[in-house]
Amino acid sequence: KGITVRGFSRGTGSPVVVVHGGPGFPPETSWAGLDTFAETHRFWYPHQRGSGWSDRPVDRFAGNDFGANLAILDRKLGLAQQVADLERLRRALGVERLDLVGHSFGGLIACLYAIEFPEHAGRLLLIAPAAMVRFPAASGGLYEEIRRWLPSEHLGAYEAWLKDFFDYGKLFQRNESGLAALNAAMLPFYREAFANRAARTGQGASVQTDGVRLAANAGGWMMPAIFFGLGQRHDWSGAFAGIKAPVSLVYGSSDLSPSNEFDQYRVIPGIRMEAVAGADHFLAENARRFAASPAVREYFAAR
């Protein structure tokens, strides 16, 4: 319907689709951890519609009709379309079952695919998936974790960013590039919070990912389109408990998010969960730690 999803692939062998996080922070290059399995698997890295190299079908809105504008965002960039794009890619690849690696918010999207298309969901590997099976999170979620660990000298700027980020009263006065810059402005705060926590607790030394590249590819309108689709609160535990696909979940012991937040995924029948010692949120970019994980090795060996 006039929207092109672009990306890249690496490796040779059976296809695995990588669902990146953010939402709307696609990588430009393959992840080092997945590269260690690239001799037997071909990894497809689609950029979610509305971000990266994919089409951005909305630039600005002519008016402030909130309901009408939200309907446009949902139809063009919303959560249902992001899930449906995975099914479109499965058909293009010509496979009966789609194996997925989902990172952060992409892990949530991978699970929603398994719920919506159970007959076509293959094996799922979730890497530090977003704790949004039940929403909002009891801990306050990522934004509260950043506030908790951010050095005091950065708190003023962070509070100003949060106020601007959640100022939905002027949302439809913005445009795509402005929203993309606003969304990407969170990344330096995340990095500072992680570094401060590492210094104070001794957990982790640095964030593995290249935040500059993530910021350059950040989505604009697609982020509020997806967030509004989540609603103010939900509990999807029942739907997740119905997932039939084999699911493995790995997370870094040094993730900024508390490890118990991933426990909400335990409702998935037969899920295998593993903490990777010393790894951070972007553990798939740490080739040594990622490839040494028994759960990861089992996922790729079983395919």
Side-chain angles (χ1 to χ4, degrees):
K1 298 181 179 179
I3 294 177
T4 300
V5 173
R6 300 177 180 86
F8 61 94
S9 66
R10 294 290 183 273
T12 304
S14 56
V16 179
V17 172
V18 180
V19 192
H20 65 77
F25 289 134
E28 284 187 350
T29 58
S30 58
W31 296 340
L34 295 184
D35 286 346
T36 61
F37 301 97
E39 290 186 0
T40 53
H41 301 81
R42 185 172 185 182
F43 296 99
W44 295 83
Y45 292 80
H47 287 190
Q48 292 157 4
R49 60 165 66 201
S51 71
W53 305 335
S54 293
D55 284 358
R56 302 176 185 234
V58 179
D59 181 29
R60 63 174 69 243
F61 287 88
N64 287 317
D65 187 327
F66 213 89
N69 292 347
L70 280 188
I72 293 171
L73 285 179
D74 188 59
R75 186 172 68 251
K76 292 181 178 292
L77 293 167
L79 194 54
Q81 290 293 355
Q82 304 290 345
V83 173
D85 281 344
L86 294 177
E87 173 60 8
R88 295 177 178 111
L89 181 54
R90 181 197 68 80
R91 296 177 184 181
L93 291 172
V95 295
E96 184 62 25
R97 291 187 177 274
L98 191 64
D99 292 331
L100 298 170
V101 171
H103 172 244
S104 196
F105 199 92
L108 182 76
I109 293 177
C111 287
L112 296 180
Y113 177 83
I115 292 167
E116 292 294 329
F117 299 95
E119 70 279 15
H120 294 306
R123 298 174 61 83
L124 272 60
L125 176 61
L126 311 180
I127 305 172
M132 290 184 174
V133 179
R134 296 185 299 275
F135 180 76
S139 67
L142 175 63
Y143 301 122
E144 285 302 315
E145 287 300 319
I146 293 175
R147 178 186 279 122
R148 176 187 177 191
W149 291 108
L150 200 63
S152 58
E153 62 267 26
H154 297 292
L155 278 173
Y158 181 61
E159 296 296 344
W161 174 80
L162 278 176
K163 183 178 180 180
D164 197 21
F165 184 75
F166 286 109
D167 188 352
Y168 292 142
K170 65 178 182 182
L171 176 63
F172 293 112
Q173 299 169 24
R174 302 183 189 272
N175 63 9
E176 171 65 23
S177 61
L179 270 173
L182 180 65
N183 298 340
M186 182 268 290
L187 295 171
F189 295 119
Y190 180 94
R191 188 176 292 274
E192 289 291 340
F194 184 89
N196 186 49
R197 192 194 69 159
R200 289 169 57 183
T201 66
Q203 298 183 37
S206 64
V207 178
Q208 292 291 326
T209 195
D210 185 346
V212 174
R213 288 185 177 180
L214 287 183
N217 286 315
W221 284 112
M222 61 90 72
M223 188 177 287
I226 290 175
F227 282 175
F228 279 120
L230 294 171
Q232 289 186 306
R233 60 185 62 251
H234 66 248
D235 187 345
W236 292 340
S237 299
F240 276 64
I243 291 177
K244 304 299 183 184
V247 180
S248 297
L249 187 158
V250 294
Y251 63 91
S253 65
S254 296
D255 198 307
L256 192 64
S257 299
S259 60
N260 60 7
E261 286 205 347
F262 302 114
D263 287 342
Q264 59 186 253
Y265 281 87
R266 292 188 184 278
V267 299
I268 299 175
I271 189 172
R272 174 172 181 174
M273 297 184 61
E274 179 188 314
V276 179
D280 63 27
H281 188 66
F282 300 91
L283 64 101
E285 298 185 46
N286 186 312
R288 180 179 61 82
R289 286 195 169 106
F290 185 76
S293 159
V296 169
R297 293 200 307 270
E298 181 183 90
Y299 173 84
F300 289 110
R303 305 187 58 264

